[in-house]
């Protein structure tokens, strides 16, 4: 995802601590609180992943639960199915339903005072005729795809500590996934997190990318391995339902100006969904403005990402705080 410049906190530990006391917002406590909320909502929402569930009901459940528990939504809830690896959320009045046997990736994020937790899980949707509609081979294969990204994440977490080079995390993920005769998705990465900044500059690779940048104590990173029986590469697919504000620009159409002002006011730092704008605008007006704003790059559109060969993809993600001798997972 796009990097949003945030000067509020920089990487220096010293500055972290100064800001921490000056602002009085307990950074670590906020990270832990956001993590707890994400983890609770993820577990609750996972139970809805079965045949017949409307994707819209699932994303709205996740987003409203995050709010109810006292956090903000860090990004629109992503529900990406089968060959779609990431970046799908329901548009307004989405009628898409989960089918039995689907590989459903649920990726959600919450923020407390701007400190973010980001976590994802993959579930094969249960259904009445699952056993009749799919052979054991297919079901086992899907279970392995799910297991592989989980194994990748475990291997990555075991690698994280102060001073470790980030390529070593990617290498651990890649080796774990290849152990299942599957491939990691090489052009998707995890990311560092900072206050109101979902992708704070550092990418956490899912392969050995030879990046020798070292992790530092107190850094917060989201690690998100993706596994597939395809080639392990994703491309943009049509449509975009998630966006980020980039910059204010002049537009002739009044409607477009109003929508952009609304976005700048409500979602200046973190990604938003087109669906959210339909609270304040007629859907047709919101979507025509989003199209124009995207074309002019006043906002950034995130297209759903599809595995190149159309093969199915799993994802597992946790947020961790880097420590001297290891790390703490905030979203367990
Ligand atoms: Co993430």
């Amino acid at each position: 995802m796009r990097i949003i410049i945030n000067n509020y906190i920089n990487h220096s530990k010293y500055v972290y601590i100064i800001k921490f006391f000056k602002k009085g917002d307990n950074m670590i406590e906020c990270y832990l609180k956001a993590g707890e909320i994400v983890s609770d909502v993820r577990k609750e929402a996972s139970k809805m992943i079965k045949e017949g569930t409307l994707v819209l009901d699932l994303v709205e459940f996740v987003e409203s639960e995050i709010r109810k528990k006292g956090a903000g939504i860090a990004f629109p809830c992503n529900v990406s199915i089968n060959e779609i690896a990431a970046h799908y959320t329901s548009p307004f009045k989405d009628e898409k339903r989960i089918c039995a046997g689907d590989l459903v990736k649920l990726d959600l994020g919450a923020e407390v005072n701007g400190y973010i937790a980001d976590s994802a899980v993959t579930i094969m949707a249960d259904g009445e005729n699952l056993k009749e509609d799919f052979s054991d081979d297919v079901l086992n294969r899907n279970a392995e795809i799910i297991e592989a990204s989980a194994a990748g994440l475990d291997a990555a977490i075991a690698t994280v500590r102060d001073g470790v080079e980030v390529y070593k995390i990617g290498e651990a993920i890649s080796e774990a996934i290849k152990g299942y005769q599957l491939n990691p998705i090489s052009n998707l990465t995890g990311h560092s997190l900072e206050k109101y900044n979902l992708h704070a500059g550092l990418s956490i690779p899912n392969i050995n990318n030879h990046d020798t940048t070292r992790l530092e104590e107190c850094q917060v990173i989201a690690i998100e391995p993706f596994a597939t029986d395809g080639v392990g590469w994703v491309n943009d697919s049509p449509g975009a339902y998630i966006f980020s504000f980039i910059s204010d620009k002049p537009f002739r159409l009044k409607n477009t100006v109003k929508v952009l002002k609304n976005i700048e006011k409500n979602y200046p730092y973190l990604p938003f969904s087109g669906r959210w704008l339909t609270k304040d605008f007629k859907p047709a007006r919101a979507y025509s403005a989003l199209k124009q704003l995207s074309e002019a790059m006043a906002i950034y559109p995130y297209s759903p990402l599809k595995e190149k060969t159309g093969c199915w993809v799993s994802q597992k993600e946790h947020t961790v705080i880097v420590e001297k001798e290891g790390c703490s997972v905030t979203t367990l």
Side-chain angles (χ1 to χ4, degrees), residues 107 118 191 199 222 224 317:
D107 190 344
D118 181 355
H191 45 95
H199 288 251
E224 46 185 319
E317 177 177 21

Side-chain angles (χ1 to χ4, degrees), residues 75 107 118-119 189-191 193 198-199 222-224 315 317:
F75 53 86
D107 190 344
D118 181 355
S119 178
T189 67
H191 45 95
L193 294 161
L198 189 56
H199 288 251
I223 308 173
E224 46 185 319
Q315 172 200 20
E317 177 177 21

Side-chain angles (χ1 to χ4, degrees), residues 151-167:
L153 183 57
D154 287 345
I157 289 171
T159 312
V160 172
R161 58 175 172 77
D162 179 45
V164 82
E165 294 147 307
V166 298
Y167 82 85

